[in-house]
Amino acid sequence: MKKVILGILMLLCGWTSVSAAEKSFSSPDGQLTVWVDDVNGAPAYRVMLGETEFIERSPLGVKTNIGDFTQNLTLTGCEIKKVQEQYQLSTIKQSTVNYEATEAVCSFEQQGRKVIDVVFRVSNRDVAYSYTIYPKGGTLVCVVDSEASGFQLPSGTTTFLCPQSRPMGGFARTAPSYETSYSLDDQMGKNGWGEGYSFPCLFRVGEKGWVLISETGVDGNYVASRLLNVKDGLYRIGFPQQGECNGWGSTSASVALPCQTPWRTITIGTTLANIVETTVPFDLVSQKYKASQEYIHGKGSWSWIIGMDASCNFDEQKRYIDFSAAMGYQSVLIDALWDVQIGREKIAELAAYGKSKGVGLYLWYNSNGSWNDAPQSPKGKMDKSHARREEMAWMKSIGIRGIKVDFFGGDKQNMMQLYEDILSDANDYGILVIFHGCTLPRGWERMYPNYAASEAVLASENLHFGQGACDAEAFNATIHAFVRNTVGAMDFGGSTLNKFYNANNSRGSRRVTSDVYALATAVLFQSPVQHFALAPNNLTDAPAWAIDFMKEVPTKWDEVKYIDGYPGKYVIMARRSGDKWYVVGVNAEKTPLKTKIELPMFEKGTELQVYSDDAELNGSLTTVKQKKQMAITIPTNGGVVIVNK
Ligand code: CA
């Protein structure tokens, strides 16, 4: 407690130094406290929320080719200041963010020379740190081979993780692409399939609370990382695998000095509220270039998810443009093989037709390159600057809205540079970018103004591919709100209203979730651009209230509130757009979820529209007057949606 008070006092005084052997500093509300030390020359930190240690003493430091900065270091002091910033970002979970944090720059010397700072940011929800690496005399570049950056979780902690794939595996050797299944409430001490885990990584520290570990601010200046288990409860940052990108490129990061490395982020809460509501991926990064224009986000349709490759033909795409127009949607996404099955001249014709109906087109591209066997075309248009810019100039000339680039080669620095180059070139031509078969976005909504969303999840395509994914659909949905989707836009491509993943709506994988569930996930899954898995036949074969809702549902949000839930069981949360709150829930448990929820966001007497399911998953829409508390029942694979009129 003394140290907490000391932390607050230091804040009041502005810039200062702590002279004790162990330095500490706290969040603006004084609840989250970090201690830093250099015992035995090895830099380390630990984190407490209130009286509970959530991260036990864990290693810090980097190993580079100009020195090993994980040992023989002396902590010379921490410079502490208060950080306050307000920013607007319409494409994330919260449109206006008031960011407040304590910054502590902790400097370490080796043989009398300042070698690294560990820069900490402590907000009321999150601890983050990154390294500043200093030049060594006239040596102004270095290679970072690894980080000691560790996270020692208390014993008894359980894990909610998905494994990082081995390289050059999976479909057409496109792995890793962050498309693996979660194990929930698992014990620590495992290491996925031997290669650790994909970010973000969720942990439950018994009854005491939750920890979400991730990273942000990764661009072409560094590698993207994963989380490796060292032993028992100790995890550390892992760099990419040698085999990624068909072996091309280094697993290390090559940097110019001084450099600041990406942020390691730790979100901590006694409930899952902080995990759901955190804005830490965006708080710590800044915009890398200005938007060339105001980008149009919004909703769209997408034939491929129901009709697959065969549907990428002129007539069907025209029908989907009509469908999007009928829904009031802004776009149609034309998936792989359009170059062969439609052709460039006819694409221009479709773009003009879409424009006449207020519908913009997104075009699919293969990212490769030499890093996988994916045969889908167009190929060879996105991996080299001259081809890419020529292609984008063509797109601009016919008014293409955006691109969906698929099948990336992993997390090495060369791939991070490719993501960044595609984004910045696309901005020159006014094009929005969606990534698929890709890595996790790491603060990219704020860094790149034309970045729309990424897949990096077992997305809706798997529902088409197999019944197993359909049967597990609700189970997976209850995880995403707490893990994948909380750190960045998730292009899931869901909210299917077909009974079957087939153009005749009569055979193939069968959807086991309800129509209300489909509506709920349109709110639950956050992305500023949504290409829903709806089909033209849904205008006549789906309930009118479901179609009406899907016409109106926003894709941009002002605020998010966690209400209740548990990964893999159920989730209830709320998003606000303007003066409308959308309270949504889905249930994956074997038994109906019966609960009472508080609805303080609605004023007394407000008329609420309630979409709910009966025991047979038949949905209905009713109108009720706002009550302080509402009793709800969500059947297995069902949903609930509550919206003020
Ligand atoms: Ca995929």
Side-chain angles (χ1 to χ4, degrees):
M1 193 58 200
K2 239 181 190 167
K3 278 170 178 158
V4 175
I5 292 167
L6 184 66
I8 293 167
L9 278 176
M10 290 186 308
L11 264 184
L12 294 174
C13 303
W15 284 90
T16 181
S17 276
V18 187
S19 56
E22 189 185 45
K23 321 293 182 191
S24 81
F25 37 88
S26 297
S27 55
D29 68 1
Q31 291 300 301
L32 203 49
T33 303
V34 177
W35 279 265
V36 182
D37 70 68
D38 61 359
V39 175
N40 298 325
Y45 74 108
R46 58 197 173 92
V47 181
M48 286 182 84
L49 174 63
E51 301 299 311
T52 307
E53 199 163 44
F54 277 84
I55 302 290
E56 298 175 352
R57 192 168 180 279
S58 303
L60 293 167
V62 291
K63 278 191 182 170
T64 77
N65 69 346
I66 60 166
D68 178 355
F69 308 133
T70 65
Q71 55 186 342
N72 303 317
L73 297 185
T74 306
L75 175 59
T76 57
C78 296
E79 286 203 325
I80 295 166
K81 69 170 178 176
K82 196 171 174 174
V83 176
Q84 226 170 352
E85 190 198 358
Q86 188 191 75
Y87 63 91
Q88 263 86 36
L89 197 56
S90 70
T91 53
I92 62 167
K93 63 179 88 171
Q94 187 175 331
S95 58
T96 299
V97 178
N98 289 300
Y99 176 60
E100 268 188 63
T102 304
E103 181 178 283
V105 179
C106 299
S107 297
F108 288 88
E109 280 185 3
Q110 196 174 55
Q111 295 160 355
R113 184 176 80 84
K114 178 164 156 174
V115 288
I116 58 167
D117 294 333
V118 186
V119 182
F120 285 91
R121 286 284 186 90
V122 191
S123 72
N124 292 343
R125 285 191 286 239
D126 320 281
V127 173
Y129 62 89
S130 84
Y131 303 99
T132 305
I133 307 171
Y134 288 98
K136 185 179 187 179
T139 304
L140 301 183
V141 295
C142 83
V143 175
V144 183
D145 289 317
S146 65
E147 292 191 14
S149 313
F151 311 88
Q152 175 72 55
L153 288 138
S155 70
T157 296
T158 55
T159 70
F160 300 71
L161 304 173
C162 58
Q164 183 82 342
S165 302
R166 293 223 168 96
M168 303 305 285
F171 170 74
R173 299 198 294 164
T174 54
S177 50
Y178 291 61
E179 297 178 24
T180 63
S181 301
Y182 287 87
S183 298
L184 304 184
D185 256 328
D186 205 352
Q187 65 198 49
M188 298 193 295
K190 301 177 180 180
N191 202 26
W193 299 334
E195 294 297 341
Y197 301 97
S198 304
F199 283 128
C201 297
L202 182 65
F203 298 89
R204 180 170 182 260
V205 185
E207 297 294 317
K208 289 173 176 161
W210 298 82
V211 176
L212 186 77
I213 297 173
S214 194
E215 65 173 349
T216 191
V218 183
D219 58 18
N221 293 314
Y222 214 75
V223 295
S225 304
R226 57 201 157 113
L227 197 65
L228 297 176
N229 184 262
V230 179
K231 189 176 185 283
D232 304 326
L234 178 62
Y235 294 80
R236 74 168 178 86
I237 291 292
F239 279 7
Q241 305 161 70
Q242 182 54 53
E244 288 178 31
C245 208
N246 202 19
W248 174 41
S250 170
T251 62
S252 305
S254 173
V255 298
L257 301 173
C259 86
Q260 189 173 2
T261 64
W263 293 93
R264 314 295 162 213
T265 66
I266 309 162
T267 303
I268 303 176
T270 53
T271 71
L272 285 159
N274 282 358
I275 309 294
V276 169
E277 295 165 19
T278 182
T279 52
V280 71
F282 317 106
D283 297 338
L284 300 165
V285 301
S286 54
Q287 195 177 77
K288 302 201 75 183
Y289 52 76
K290 283 210 170 1
S292 64
Q293 62 180 83
E294 198 169 316
Y295 287 100
I296 300 168
H297 299 92
K299 299 186 284 281
S301 65
W302 170 44
S303 72
W304 185 87
I305 186 60
I306 303 292
M308 296 270 119
D309 289 353
S311 73
C312 292
N313 65 70
F314 182 86
D315 291 344
E316 190 66 351
Q317 295 314 311
K318 198 171 173 193
R319 195 167 78 100
Y320 266 77
I321 290 171
D322 290 339
F323 174 51
S324 271
M327 293 296 289
Y329 284 5
Q330 288 76 24
S331 64
V332 161
L333 163 63
I334 304 182
D335 221 281
L337 304 173
W338 57 263
D339 56 328
V340 181
Q341 298 180 180
I342 298 174
R344 284 163 184 272
E345 274 174 34
K346 285 289 195 182
I347 284 287
E349 199 178 317
L350 281 173
Y353 181 70
K355 195 178 177 193
S356 75
K357 301 224 153 193
V359 176
L361 300 187
Y362 285 69
L363 298 180
W364 185 96
Y365 284 88
N366 196 328
S367 88
N368 57 4
S370 60
W371 40 84
N372 61 56
D373 305 323
Q376 285 87 348
S377 62
K379 294 171 66 171
K381 297 289 184 191
M382 286 293 141
D383 58 310
K384 293 282 191 295
S385 179
H386 56 88
R388 183 167 61 231
R389 293 183 69 86
E390 188 182 327
E391 188 75 1
M392 287 174 173
W394 168 72
M395 280 186 243
K396 187 179 180 183
S397 75
I398 62 167
I400 296 299
R401 169 79 45 81
I403 50 175
K404 169 181 169 180
V405 190
D406 209 335
F407 302 134
F408 284 83
D411 287 345
K412 288 178 179 176
Q413 191 171 356
N414 55 352
M415 271 298 120
M416 293 300 114
Q417 188 65 58
L418 179 63
Y419 285 110
E420 184 166 23
D421 289 346
I422 291 172
L423 284 160
S424 63
D425 278 350
N427 184 55
D428 289 347
Y429 296 97
I431 294 165
L432 278 166
V433 181
I434 296 170
F435 294 122
H436 264 237
C438 58
T439 195
L440 182 77
R442 290 154 164 98
W444 293 358
E445 285 91 331
R446 193 170 180 197
M447 291 158 70
Y448 309 110
N450 59 324
Y451 167 78
S454 298
E455 184 181 35
V457 65
L458 278 170
S460 61
E461 60 187 5
N462 296 283
L463 302 172
H464 189 127
F465 295 154
Q467 190 60 42
C470 286
D471 295 341
E473 186 186 356
F475 169 79
N476 285 309
T478 63
I479 304 169
H480 300 323
F482 304 117
V483 189
R484 163 66 182 87
N485 204 186
T486 191
V487 301
M490 182 175 81
D491 191 39
F492 186 84
S495 296
T496 313
L497 288 172
N498 262 27
K499 300 288 179 208
F500 294 89
Y501 284 87
N502 160 268
N504 296 320
N505 200 5
S506 60
R507 60 188 163 79
S509 304
R510 186 178 67 87
R511 183 167 62 95
V512 303
T513 53
S514 74
D515 292 342
V516 177
Y517 169 97
L519 273 45
T521 53
V523 175
L524 191 61
F525 297 165
Q526 182 266 325
S527 171
V529 175
Q530 296 261 23
H531 289 107
F532 293 120
L534 300 175
N537 51 284
N538 297 147
L539 288 171
T540 49
D541 65 13
W545 50 260
I547 288 295
D548 289 345
F549 180 91
M550 291 305 296
K551 286 179 178 173
E552 297 300 326
V553 65
T555 63
K556 288 179 164 185
W557 303 100
D558 294 306
E559 206 177 338
V560 59
K561 283 272 172 259
Y562 163 80
I563 295 174
D564 196 5
Y566 194 96
K569 295 181 177 177
Y570 67 98
V571 54
I572 306 171
M573 60 188 277
R575 295 192 195 275
R576 180 175 67 81
S577 169
D579 57 6
K580 271 198 172 192
W581 276 99
Y582 291 72
V583 178
V584 299
V586 300
N587 179 27
E589 290 195 280
K590 297 271 182 287
T591 53
L593 172 69
K594 290 178 199 251
T595 186
K596 278 185 180 159
I597 54 172
E598 306 282 334
L599 298 170
M601 62 281 283
F602 300 123
E603 284 191 25
K604 207 180 155 198
T606 308
E607 291 229 305
L608 300 179
Q609 294 188 296
V610 181
Y611 303 78
S612 58
D613 284 317
D614 67 15
E616 276 73 51
L617 295 180
N618 296 307
S620 63
L621 168 61
T622 54
T623 303
V624 301
K625 279 257 163 72
Q626 193 269 352
K627 293 168 282 184
K628 218 178 160 198
Q629 237 185 17
M630 192 184 283
I632 57 168
T633 302
I634 313 179
T636 308
N637 293 324
V640 70
V641 178
I642 305 165
V643 194
N644 51 313
K645 271 191 156 174

